[in-house]
Amino acid sequence: MAKDNEGEEKKYGDPAKFDPEFKGPIENRSCTDIICCLLFIIFIAGFVAVGILAWVHGDPKLLLYPTDSQGNLCGNGNYATKPNLHFFNLLDCAGFASVLDGCPTPQVCVTACPTEYWAYAIELAKMAVNTDPDWDKFICTYDVNITGSTADQIEQYVKDQKCAAYTVPSKAYGGRCIPSLVETIANTVLTTDVSNTPLVDSSGNNVTNDRISAGTAALALVLSAQEVVQEIFTDMVSSWYLILGGLGAAMVVSFIYIVIMRWIAGVMVWFTIFAVIVLNIFGIYYCYTQYVALENVSGADSSIYDVGFTTNLSTYTKLQDTWLGIGIALSVILLIILLILIFLRNRIRIAIALIKESSRAVSNIMSTLFFPLIPWILQIVLFAYWGAVALFLASSGQAQYEVQDYNSTNTSTASNMTGQSCTPTSFDTSAVSSTVQCAFVKYGATSLYYQNLFYLQIFNLFGLFWVMNFIVALGQCTLAGAFASYYWAFTKPKDIPTFPLTASFGRSLRYHLGSLAFGSFIIAVVQIIRVMLEYVDHKLKDSENRAAKFLLKCLKCCFWCLEKLLKFLNKNAYIMIAIYGKNFCVSAKKAFFLIMRNILRVAAVTSVTNFLFLLSKLVVTGAIGTLSFYFFTGKITFATAYVPNLKYYMVPIIVVVIGAYMVAACFFSVYNMAVDTLFLCFLEDLERNDGSPEKPYYMSKELMSILGKKNRKEGEKEKKGCCGCC
């Protein structure tokens, strides 16, 4: 059996050998993965170059301001006094295609959206009795001067889609005039407020409530969210200082929680395990009582297969098979938990001891708690840069025009030109039908730059992934070096080096940029593949090919698992890089073999720490969330004077809860890094040393006690402990 274990160890490399010169993170090291470092620098230069190109060719105003049929920006430049876009005939805007490709009706910039029902027939009726019409109510294209026109001219303008045939009360959403219709009977013909004149479009068809609702539904759905967003933004501005206060409270609570973790970690873990066992026993007992209670009930002995599938879940609760199956499942879970406690109890104790030791490490190197602010700020700057570049790329291009026929019933030869490119200044309207115009469609161009905008967006997104993962890697490597300095200090805290965090940060920047870039590149490649799979899945959403959909789901699942595995391996590789200063591949191999030689310990420690940290983050988030809820709802009587008047009181509460979780995650990520680093150091400590005066253990006395080991004095013989099973 011993030979088998020895062979298993050889399979995953030789255990670490004792080195009398090793006293923690190696100072005398050299640069690693230089080629990767150079490639990363070249990529960063390209990343910046894409940003410069986007800044030169892009104009975010094209996305922020609505554009009329001639390519003019409403609310900008010559049209600064006309911030709203008016649609002549909203009945042509039905469907989401109008949101993406533009509504096929003339559109002009106006100072304000219409506020009443109006039809051009009203003004013609006034002219018929020699009364001056209200010229200000006409909405026409910029080349039409409607004032002083005759009735026949007005009729022709409306027919040629030069002037709007009607208006309805509208409200600006995102700079677009969208009808704000009151509740009316379905399919009711709309009339003007004054003379009850029926509203008709340029083709003479009645304008009904249903037709306008259908024509504006898509636009309203996309644009009406702006009002809600504005109200939310107003609430955020009104309560920003209170939100910051809540995040500050989350920082304080997280810090206190980490400090006291050394005393409560064991209690929390064992209490949770005990609670799970008690709940399982109660569940088994309840299933047994239900099973016995159904013995004499007619039909209760039927099989689940006989009942088949039904959405009425109460049907299953009336079957003995249901409770028997649940009881068996709970019994199996209980048996597994008990076996884990019997055979892995010492490994759980090791995990708890490591959590306590990590708390001491964080307390001794207090600067590690605030170090994540640096990567966090870098990530915010990176995300802002990526978003700005993506915005400028999306707004790159020049106004593109196509021939559009605003008369859907036109079958003339001229209408066949629809969709062809055109130039407004040279388009000959006299040679075609009066309803055929050269109208703005979108922004774009035919140059090499514009033809590759999609690929530049992919490059920009890959840059986000690579640099973001690099920042994470830099933070992990820096913290690992600091905590390794703590572990390998024989007398703590006396032997801890001065400024261990600063020294580790300097080593990471000076020697290991290439290795960190290499590891982050691998993660970025997997992430960009996952994005591509999501894109393909979106394209196949309406496909009937079930085999392709199944294959795609499998690929998405596999790459998700691969990303999680690579992040775990990379994290441990960075720890080895921080300690020994080797390149990425050597460090990853060394970390992987060390983990595989101690796989049961790794499984126990990882499971316990992940569960405990998740529970801790939820406790911090729940406490801050509860406090903010009672505060913003005015249930804390002495603080009601400080509660601002909000439209949506849940907005700051949600922001505080999300922010509190992020703050807690930031603090506990340091704690988690401490546990992982100390754990690998602990495993190496067991392989390197034997407790003799020449090879003393560096682990805490609690860990040595769990393993049945101790540092022997001169001449003292070694005592075997734990039979090597810990």
Side-chain angles (χ1 to χ4, degrees):
M1 191 70 177
K3 288 184 178 180
D4 291 341
N5 291 334
E6 184 178 347
E8 192 68 19
E9 286 187 354
K10 290 290 184 181
K11 178 180 177 182
Y12 297 111
D14 296 322
K17 305 297 184 191
F18 173 72
D19 181 3
E21 301 297 325
F22 180 75
K23 302 296 181 183
I26 296 173
E27 297 292 338
N28 186 19
R29 57 180 73 193
S30 58
C31 295
T32 57
D33 296 309
I34 298 175
I35 295 178
C36 293
C37 182
L38 294 175
L39 291 175
F40 184 63
I41 293 174
I42 293 172
F43 178 84
I44 292 296
F47 196 32
V48 174
V50 169
I52 295 174
L53 277 174
W55 182 76
V56 170
H57 294 282
D59 185 3
K61 289 187 295 185
L62 304 183
L63 301 178
L64 299 176
Y65 295 98
T67 307
D68 67 9
S69 297
Q70 296 183 11
N72 302 306
L73 298 179
C74 301
N76 184 67
N78 295 332
Y79 297 88
T81 58
K82 297 181 177 182
N84 302 309
L85 184 68
H86 178 75
F87 302 86
F88 277 19
N89 188 13
L90 286 164
L91 306 180
D92 295 332
C93 299
F96 280 96
S98 63
V99 178
L100 302 175
D101 302 324
C103 180
T105 187
Q107 303 157 41
V108 295
C109 300
V110 294
T111 303
C113 295
T115 58
E116 60 181 349
Y117 294 101
W118 173 87
Y120 80 100
I122 297 175
E123 310 307 326
L124 294 183
K126 291 179 181 178
M127 296 175 71
V129 293
N130 297 321
T131 303
D132 290 334
D134 191 345
W135 301 111
D136 291 336
K137 292 188 177 180
F138 283 94
I139 298 178
C140 302
T141 56
Y142 312 122
D143 59 336
V144 173
N145 184 9
I146 194 69
T147 304
S149 299
T150 64
D152 290 340
Q153 288 175 324
I154 294 175
E155 286 275 11
Q156 191 62 41
Y157 286 147
V158 172
K159 182 179 179 182
D160 294 345
Q161 296 277 341
K162 295 289 187 179
C163 293
Y166 66 93
T167 64
V168 295
S170 303
K171 190 174 182 181
Y173 292 94
R176 282 85 171 172
C177 295
I178 304 299
S180 50
L181 297 174
V182 296
E183 292 184 4
T184 56
I185 302 174
N187 212 32
T188 299
V189 176
L190 299 180
T191 59
T192 60
D193 298 331
V194 181
S195 59
N196 288 328
T197 302
L199 301 186
V200 295
D201 59 21
S202 58
S203 301
N205 299 315
N206 286 330
V207 178
T208 66
N209 181 55
D210 280 2
R211 292 184 66 195
I212 289 187
S213 297
T216 60
L219 286 171
L221 183 62
V222 174
L223 300 174
S224 63
Q226 184 184 19
E227 185 177 8
V228 177
V229 171
Q230 289 176 344
E231 291 174 343
I232 290 175
F233 179 75
T234 302
D235 287 346
M236 292 279 290
V237 171
S238 302
S239 58
W240 67 269
Y241 58 96
L242 296 171
I243 293 174
L244 288 181
L247 299 183
M251 292 179 63
V252 174
V253 173
S254 298
F255 175 75
I256 295 174
Y257 205 92
I258 288 175
V259 171
I260 65 175
M261 188 71 80
R262 69 179 74 176
W263 295 291
I264 66 173
V267 175
M268 289 178 63
V269 172
W270 291 117
F271 173 78
T272 303
I273 294 174
F274 176 76
V276 171
I277 292 175
V278 170
L279 287 174
N280 264 274
I281 294 175
F282 173 77
I284 294 170
Y285 169 76
Y286 184 78
C287 290
Y288 172 75
T289 57
Q290 291 296 311
Y291 183 86
V292 172
L294 292 171
E295 278 188 345
N296 298 322
V297 176
S298 177
D301 57 348
S302 301
S303 171
I304 292 180
Y305 296 103
D306 296 335
V307 174
F309 176 77
T310 176
T311 56
N312 185 8
L313 299 181
S314 62
T315 304
Y316 297 114
T317 62
K318 299 174 182 178
L319 300 177
Q320 285 184 302
D321 279 4
T322 301
W323 298 107
L324 178 63
I326 296 175
I328 292 174
L330 291 175
S331 300
V332 171
I333 294 173
L334 178 62
L335 178 61
I336 293 174
I337 293 174
L338 292 176
L339 290 175
I340 290 174
L341 286 177
I342 293 171
F343 294 104
L344 299 180
R345 63 188 184 281
N346 276 334
R347 291 184 172 88
I348 296 175
R349 292 174 62 197
I350 290 173
I352 296 172
L354 281 170
I355 292 172
K356 294 179 180 179
E357 189 65 19
S358 298
S359 180
R360 297 187 187 97
V362 172
S363 300
N364 280 283
I365 313 176
M366 197 71 70
S367 56
T368 55
L369 282 176
F370 305 99
F371 173 76
L373 288 175
I374 297 176
W376 186 66
I377 292 173
L378 291 176
Q379 288 174 343
I380 290 178
V381 172
L382 171 65
F383 192 80
Y385 173 79
W386 168 80
V389 172
L391 184 64
F392 274 88
L393 286 174
S395 61
S396 295
Q398 301 169 344
Q400 300 292 294
Y401 299 87
E402 291 181 359
V403 177
Q404 289 192 3
D405 187 355
Y406 295 128
N407 184 359
S408 58
T409 62
N410 192 358
T411 59
S412 64
T413 305
S415 67
N416 295 330
M417 298 171 58
T418 302
Q420 297 181 11
S421 299
C422 61
T423 304
T425 55
S426 60
F427 185 70
D428 186 7
T429 56
S430 62
V432 295
S433 171
S434 58
T435 59
V436 177
Q437 298 181 17
C438 184
F440 167 79
V441 178
K442 61 181 179 180
Y443 289 99
T446 57
S447 66
L448 181 64
Y449 169 77
Y450 295 108
Q451 289 176 351
N452 292 279
L453 281 177
F454 176 77
Y455 300 105
L456 290 177
Q457 288 282 21
I458 295 295
F459 181 85
N460 186 42
L461 181 62
F462 183 76
L464 171 70
F465 289 152
W466 193 358
V467 180
M468 188 73 75
N469 283 294
F470 175 83
I471 294 172
V472 171
L474 178 62
Q476 290 178 341
C477 191
T478 300
L479 291 173
F483 291 127
S485 299
Y486 168 85
Y487 185 92
W488 295 110
F490 187 73
T491 305
K492 303 175 180 64
K494 179 182 176 182
D495 294 340
I496 300 176
T498 307
F499 304 118
L501 184 66
T502 306
S504 178
F505 185 65
R507 288 193 299 268
S508 299
L509 285 178
R510 181 178 179 183
Y511 299 109
H512 305 304
L513 287 182
S515 298
L516 301 181
F518 188 12
S520 55
F521 173 79
I522 296 172
I523 302 295
V525 169
V526 175
Q527 289 176 334
I528 201 69
I529 292 175
R530 290 189 61 200
V531 170
M532 292 178 179
L533 289 174
E534 290 291 344
Y535 177 76
V536 174
D537 187 30
H538 175 73
K539 288 294 184 181
L540 295 177
K541 181 173 60 176
D542 299 325
S543 173
E544 299 296 331
N545 192 333
R546 295 187 177 182
K549 288 185 176 181
F550 175 77
L551 178 61
L552 195 60
K553 297 293 183 185
C554 292
L555 287 174
K556 288 169 62 178
C557 179
C558 290
F559 276 96
W560 180 85
C561 294
L562 179 61
E563 182 183 346
K564 296 298 180 184
L565 175 62
L566 288 175
K567 284 184 175 180
F568 173 77
L569 295 177
N570 279 17
K571 187 177 184 181
N572 290 285
Y574 299 146
I575 294 173
M576 289 301 181
I577 290 172
I579 297 174
Y580 297 104
K582 302 298 182 182
N583 63 48
F584 177 81
C585 292
V586 171
S587 300
K589 178 182 177 182
K590 187 178 181 68
F592 177 73
F593 282 175
L594 180 62
I595 290 170
M596 293 306 298
R597 291 196 298 268
N598 300 272
I599 190 63
L600 291 180
R601 282 176 178 151
V602 171
V605 170
T606 302
S607 301
V608 172
T609 54
N610 286 345
F611 167 75
L612 190 57
F613 290 151
L614 175 62
L615 192 64
S616 301
K617 286 184 282 189
L618 293 178
V619 168
V620 173
T621 304
I624 299 299
T626 302
L627 180 63
S628 63
F629 174 80
Y630 277 93
F631 177 83
F632 284 107
T633 53
K635 295 183 178 180
I636 302 178
T637 53
F638 64 86
T640 52
Y642 303 98
V643 180
N645 187 20
L646 303 174
K647 179 74 173 180
Y648 305 105
Y649 71 87
M650 286 301 296
V651 169
I653 296 174
I654 293 173
V655 173
V656 168
V657 168
I658 295 175
Y661 183 84
M662 293 176 65
V663 169
C666 188
F667 273 82
F668 283 99
S669 67
V670 175
Y671 204 168
N672 191 28
M673 198 66 207
V675 172
D676 290 341
T677 303
L678 298 186
F679 181 48
L680 289 190
C681 292
F682 162 73
L683 297 179
E684 288 238 331
D685 193 9
L686 285 175
E687 293 184 352
R688 283 178 176 275
N689 305 308
D690 57 11
S692 63
E694 297 80 14
K695 304 178 185 178
Y697 291 118
Y698 285 77
M699 68 186 75
S700 66
K701 292 182 179 179
E702 183 178 0
L703 283 169
M704 284 192 282
S705 174
I706 294 171
L707 297 173
K709 299 179 181 296
K710 69 174 185 176
N711 284 330
R712 303 187 302 277
K713 298 179 181 178
E714 194 72 36
E716 186 178 353
K717 294 184 179 180
E718 180 182 4
K719 294 182 180 179
K720 301 292 182 181
C722 279
C723 303
C725 64
C726 298

